Amino acid sequence: MRDTVLDRTGNWGLTQISAADQITLLKLFTGRGNAVLSHASRAYALRLMHAVEKDQRWGTPAGAPDTSTIQVKNGWLQRSQNGPRDPFDRGDWKVNSLGAFTGGRYDYGLAVLTENNRVPKGRPATDGWYYGIDTIEQVSRAAHHALYPDRSPSRGYTPPRPGRAAVKQAMTVG
């Protein structure tokens, strides 16, 4: 994971990472016999990703084959909340999603990272967050369909739209 840079202050949410490094991480979770993680550690990580809260199952699962086992981890961060005071900072969002799709004949991962999801002037800050989610889900549907055209995105998994609790969390945690 050569492109991963931890935040100097130890803030996990500010870690810089590439999509390629995200896929490397997924391979460690789904691969067999690697020297980094034990079978129990890999199973634990995938179990957590599989059991993620329902309103956080958005992102890369969109369009996934409905017979696959879905494991997902999403992340988001609003650049800042200084938009009205700083014309160059309109509260843009970074929104990312990482998914592993296993079970049956499936064994692949998908990472989609976005940034600069603009909050339109005069609109609620969450508009940029939803724009990032929508972008990730469009890319994900196309990727799943390219891999498994017999399972078109319209017949694949449809994630729930994040509810009020997730929106509130997005605005406070990130």
Side-chain angles (χ1 to χ4, degrees), residues 56-127:
Q56 291 186 23
R57 292 185 66 79
W58 49 264
T60 54
D66 54 9
T67 55
S68 66
T69 300
I70 296 171
Q71 291 94 184
V72 64
K73 175 64 179 114
N74 297 315
W76 56 90
L77 179 68
Q78 188 176 20
R79 181 173 173 201
S80 78
Q81 297 177 359
N82 296 327
R85 290 172 281 177
D86 181 350
F88 297 105
D89 177 5
R90 296 199 4 222
D92 297 353
W93 287 81
K94 290 184 178 194
V95 184
N96 304 321
S97 185
L98 173 69
F101 307 92
T102 59
R105 65 181 188 178
Y106 308 106
D107 185 12
Y108 66 100
L110 181 60
V112 184
L113 283 59
T114 70
E115 63 180 326
N116 299 326
N117 295 293
R118 182 61 40 112
V119 176
K121 188 174 184 172
R123 298 289 305 158
T126 52
D127 279 11

Side-chain angles (χ1 to χ4, degrees), residues 12-24:
W12 176 249
L14 296 177
T15 298
Q16 301 289 314
I17 193 164
S18 67
D21 279 2
Q22 291 275 7
I23 294 299
T24 297

